[in-house]
Amino acid sequence: MATQHSRSAARIMMAPAVILLLGWMLVPLTMTLYFSFKKYLPLRGGDLGWVGFDNYARFLSSSAFWPSVQATLVIVGGVLLITVIFGVLLALLLNQPMWGQGIVRILVIAPFFVMPTVSALVWKNMFMDPVNGLFAHLWKVFGAEPVSWLSEASLQSIILIVSWQWLPFATLILLTAIQSLDREQLEAAEMDGAPPLSRFGYITLPHLSRAITVVVLIQTIFLLSIFAEIFVTTQGSFGTRTLTYLIYQRVLESQNVGLGSAGGVYAIILANIVAVFLMRIVGKNLDA
């Protein structure tokens, strides 16, 4: 049992790491809050003084704000839906005995290690290009007119690209959870005559609830800040401008650091609202 002296020594040894972590988080947040109340134009006069909540009002009243929030939530929701459903199916498939099982698992997980920029470039040029892309050639084989995916189905294309990248992560977590399932329960249910769908619905799926919760929470954190895929493919056009990309445009393209900082605060608020919502709806499974 730890004594008071050992606990004090542990706190002292952990203090540098905690201080560094707090500084890593608080310094950027403080700077963002600071600049959000100022009119700061680096290439057009620099620091032009305090403007109060004017940046917040301008960003919120912008015609691009609410569409960017909507696009962000649609992308997050679409990717979560695809990765959870197909992640469960792939995990069930990979859990079955097969020849070359280890190699198959590595191939399925491989897309997660591809950089988002590279992944987006591959999909844009090799698959979705309306002239030379693989999908265009497939469409021509069946006598159909090739589709310009990134302009005609832009939001769906972004969801597909991001889902391809995050599906291995969901599959890996869910496969680990399935492998921890007590086989005796499934064997007992099978001996009692329960059909496969009933065994999945009453035994496997409840067992996966905690893993699904972890997948949803972790992916949501990263998906709310999606940027590289949009920058490489559509550059925010055709309704794919997310809140993160809108902030980028305000800061780098418009050179308005104050306005972009206000957008960053809104992004933090949105992320916290979504996180609280998820914790209340699905996060309770972690305590089950």
Side-chain angles (χ1 to χ4, degrees):
M1 187 173 180
T3 63
Q4 182 65 32
H5 178 72
S6 63
R7 285 195 293 266
S8 299
R11 294 191 187 101
I12 294 174
M13 288 186 288
M14 291 176 60
V18 173
I19 293 173
L20 180 62
L21 181 61
L22 288 176
W24 188 270
M25 295 186 299
L26 293 179
V27 171
L29 178 60
T30 303
M31 295 298 294
T32 300
L33 288 171
Y34 172 77
F35 282 112
S36 68
F37 293 105
K38 299 179 72 67
K39 186 176 183 180
Y40 189 74
L41 309 174
L43 301 181
R44 291 179 290 168
D47 190 351
L48 301 179
W50 297 92
V51 293
F53 288 94
D54 182 63
N55 287 326
Y56 290 93
R58 287 181 58 193
F59 200 94
L60 186 62
S61 61
S62 170
S63 59
F65 176 73
W66 290 111
S68 68
V69 173
Q70 181 181 358
T72 302
L73 296 178
V74 169
I75 291 174
V76 172
V79 173
L80 288 178
L81 186 65
I82 292 174
T83 53
V84 169
I85 292 176
F86 285 94
V88 171
L89 295 178
L90 274 175
L92 291 172
L93 179 62
L94 294 176
N95 192 47
Q96 303 301 317
M98 65 177 74
W99 182 84
Q101 189 178 55
I103 298 177
V104 173
R105 289 179 178 178
I106 292 175
L107 292 176
V108 170
I109 297 171
F112 185 67
F113 300 101
V114 179
M115 294 293 292
T117 306
V118 177
S119 171
L121 283 172
V122 169
W123 277 91
K124 177 183 179 181
N125 298 319
M126 295 184 61
F127 291 98
M128 295 181 173
D129 187 276
V131 178
N132 300 314
L134 178 62
F135 292 162
H137 290 294
L138 289 176
W139 257 238
K140 291 177 182 178
V141 168
F142 292 100
E145 188 71 21
V147 178
S148 182
W149 291 93
L150 295 175
S151 59
E152 297 178 19
S154 52
L155 206 58
Q156 294 86 338
S157 300
I158 297 296
I159 292 174
L160 179 62
I161 294 172
V162 180
S163 297
W164 178 82
Q165 187 176 4
W166 279 97
L167 181 59
F169 171 79
T171 303
L172 182 62
I173 299 297
L174 295 169
L175 176 61
T176 304
I178 288 178
Q179 291 177 335
S180 66
L181 177 62
D182 187 2
R183 304 297 302 178
E184 294 182 358
Q185 291 182 329
L186 292 174
E187 293 173 358
E190 187 176 1
M191 292 178 61
D192 290 339
L197 286 178
S198 296
R199 296 199 299 269
F200 173 77
Y202 289 101
I203 299 177
T204 306
L205 194 58
H207 180 76
L208 291 177
S209 61
R210 290 168 62 89
I212 292 174
T213 300
V214 172
V215 169
V216 170
L217 291 176
I218 294 178
Q219 287 192 175
T220 301
I221 294 172
F222 288 94
L223 292 175
L224 284 171
S225 59
I226 179 176
F227 175 81
E229 294 86 348
I230 297 172
F231 179 79
V232 171
T233 54
T234 64
Q235 295 188 340
S237 304
F238 312 111
T240 61
R241 181 165 51 188
T242 60
L243 185 56
T244 304
Y245 200 87
L246 180 61
I247 295 170
Y248 159 78
Q249 288 182 322
R250 293 295 183 265
V251 175
L252 292 183
E253 293 185 2
S254 302
Q255 288 297 318
N256 194 331
V257 176
L259 193 61
S261 298
V265 175
Y266 281 127
I268 295 172
I269 294 173
L270 175 64
N272 280 275
I273 291 174
V274 173
V276 170
F277 174 77
L278 289 175
M279 288 301 295
R280 286 185 176 273
I281 299 301
V282 297
K284 57 186 178 182
N285 289 329
L286 295 173
D287 299 325

